[in-house]
Amino acid sequence: MQLKKINPNLQQALIENDLLEANELQQETFSTIKSGADAVIQSSKGSGKTTTIIINAIQRLEKAVGESTRALIFVQDKDKVLEAVELFKKYANHTDLRVIGAHDKGDIDFDKNQISLGMDVIIGTTTKINAMFASAGFNMNTIKMFVVDDADILFKSRLDATIMRLSASVEKTQRLFFCSDITERVESLADKIMIEPLFFEMEEE
């Protein structure tokens, strides 16, 4: 995949999985996300938003560090959690990055124990991530990436207040919203929690 200064380990995994060409979404947003800027990224359903999130998380984190989590990725439901974790494991297989999927049907104590042993990335549903952090008192200030996938759908389900509260627990991080539609709720929350966010709106294919 031809992206500027892409991590060679990530590049190797992408080639092995036949991801040879970056699509428009990946090309347009890679430098911005790599820089650590806040952004709202709109692209149609099926355009590779989740893949873009995973690629960028691996690029930014590079390798396992310490015990504290450095990326939180919020997704819609259990199926999305499992899909994103599988993608992460595929594309991070030349790194030692650690990932866990946390969804509402999983065992919260098991998940908390795994995270306390050391976990770089948590991919989970909003309610499960909220429950874990509320009860375990994890250190949120190590979070480098705070990413919401399908933000328009999550906020329509009135999860924006929970996301805002979790975001407020992190002093300094990169906040990214990915959505199919930049709704009023998406724009409003971006305005409240992001620092000078950049907006990307992809043309329909």
Side-chain angles (χ1 to χ4, degrees), residues 60-61 69-71 142-146 172-174:
R60 284 211 65 204
L61 302 184
T69 302
R70 291 176 297 140
T142 56
I143 303 290
K144 284 178 68 170
M145 296 182 82
F146 187 99
K172 193 167 183 255
T173 190
Q174 177 181 35

Side-chain angles (χ1 to χ4, degrees), residues 25 40-44 179-182 200-202 204:
L25 173 63
V40 176
I41 297 157
Q42 177 273 326
S43 184
S44 59
C179 55
S180 300
D181 187 19
I182 300 178
F200 291 86
E201 295 183 61
M202 299 295 142
E204 290 280 340

Side-chain angles (χ1 to χ4, degrees), residues 182-201:
I182 300 178
T183 61
E184 271 184 45
R185 279 178 186 262
V186 169
E187 216 165 324
S188 169
L189 198 61
D191 195 41
K192 285 174 182 159
I193 71 171
M194 292 185 179
I195 298 164
E196 295 179 7
L198 294 162
F199 283 78
F200 291 86
E201 295 183 61

Side-chain angles (χ1 to χ4, degrees), residues 7-53:
N7 179 301
N9 291 326
L10 171 58
Q11 174 85 297
Q12 190 181 342
L14 293 174
I15 290 166
E16 286 168 7
N17 286 284
D18 297 324
L19 267 190
L20 307 177
E21 291 288 327
N23 66 15
E24 187 200 2
L25 173 63
Q26 286 140 10
Q27 288 277 13
E28 292 287 322
T29 59
F30 188 71
S31 295
T32 295
I33 299 174
K34 196 168 67 163
S35 75
D38 289 354
V40 176
I41 297 157
Q42 177 273 326
S43 184
S44 59
K45 202 171 166 55
S47 59
K49 290 190 285 291
T50 306
T51 301
T52 303
I53 290 168

